[in-house]
Amino acid sequence: MAAQQPSIPSGGGGSRDDAGDPKEERLPMPSRNPLPLSASQEAQVREVFNKRVRNLCADEIKAFAECARDRTFSIPFACRGASRAMNGCMQRHATAAEHDRAREEWFAARQQRARDRERRERRRLEQEAFHREWWGLPQRDPDDVRRDLEKLKAAERIGGRSARRPQPPPTPTDVGAADSGRGRDNR
């Protein structure tokens, strides 16, 4: 019943047939398929995608819900036509191009999310300061407050975490130093 996530072609570009449309030209992101997002960011993009598909198929979903109301076991039989119409609509609209539009919408909303996050964090810091003053608790270390405020100014991370550098393999001298005092037969 739910729309499946479309398979997104790997590579630099997506298949967009309306790329020349000036109304649709809102690219606040580096490319059609930018750096890979973290799992939570991809989940947010999927939420935007699913919401867009559900909005496009709202009439079919509403018709199926009306048919299924006050039914239990007979839903698959009595509402087969409405179910097929709803699923067909969702499959028609659940395309890679629609997923690209949802991703673009998510990227366009980055600045608003950053402002909202900053506003919530500032409110939290104000409430914490009031709480400390009210209960006579010592003030926070100014360096900690400064670090929290610097975190607010940091941009949202895109592309996931950077890979850790692998530790170099131990050299024979390092292994010998770790084994000093123990022979192979001493266990």
Side-chain angles (χ1 to χ4, degrees):
M1 285 194 205
Q4 295 178 346
Q5 182 179 357
S7 61
I8 299 172
S10 61
S15 59
R16 297 268 313 228
D17 29 336
D18 61 339
D21 188 7
K23 185 183 105 185
E24 193 63 35
E25 196 62 36
R26 18 164 228 181
L27 290 176
M29 62 180 172
S31 71
R32 292 278 179 226
N33 290 317
L35 297 171
L37 301 176
S38 68
S40 64
Q41 290 169 334
E42 283 292 343
Q44 292 171 359
V45 170
R46 262 192 317 277
E47 285 177 20
V48 171
F49 171 73
N50 290 337
K51 181 180 177 185
R52 290 176 64 93
V53 171
R54 282 193 305 267
N55 286 341
L56 291 169
C57 298
D59 295 336
E60 289 84 354
I61 293 171
K62 192 173 286 189
F64 177 74
E66 273 302 315
C67 179
R69 183 166 306 186
D70 297 329
R71 296 181 194 265
T72 55
F73 295 110
S74 63
I75 291 174
F77 309 109
C79 303
R80 181 170 289 148
S83 173
R84 286 189 176 157
M86 178 184 68
N87 286 337
C89 176
M90 294 179 100
Q91 286 178 347
R92 272 193 316 278
H93 292 293
T95 62
E98 190 65 34
H99 194 271
D100 287 343
R101 285 188 207 105
R103 183 176 276 248
E104 288 176 15
E105 185 177 320
W106 183 86
F107 272 95
R110 274 190 310 192
Q111 293 170 339
Q112 181 62 38
R113 285 193 306 273
R115 284 191 297 268
D116 290 345
R117 186 186 67 207
E118 182 177 349
R119 186 177 30 95
R120 284 191 309 267
E121 185 63 22
R122 286 191 189 281
R123 179 73 176 141
R124 185 191 68 78
L125 291 173
E126 290 170 1
Q127 288 176 344
E128 182 182 346
F130 175 77
H131 177 80
R132 288 178 177 276
E133 181 182 335
W134 180 266
W135 292 103
L137 298 173
Q139 293 296 320
R140 281 182 65 191
D141 184 25
D143 290 336
D144 289 342
V145 174
R146 182 183 46 78
R147 263 185 257 127
D148 283 346
L149 292 174
E150 285 175 2
K151 281 183 193 176
L152 290 177
K153 293 178 181 144
E156 183 176 19
R157 190 179 187 106
I158 296 176
R161 300 263 181 222
S162 59
R164 284 187 176 181
R165 290 186 184 170
Q167 294 292 329
T171 61
T173 57
D174 293 339
V175 174
D179 264 350
S180 63
R182 297 180 74 184
R184 289 185 179 220
D185 296 319
N186 294 343
R187 295 184 181 178

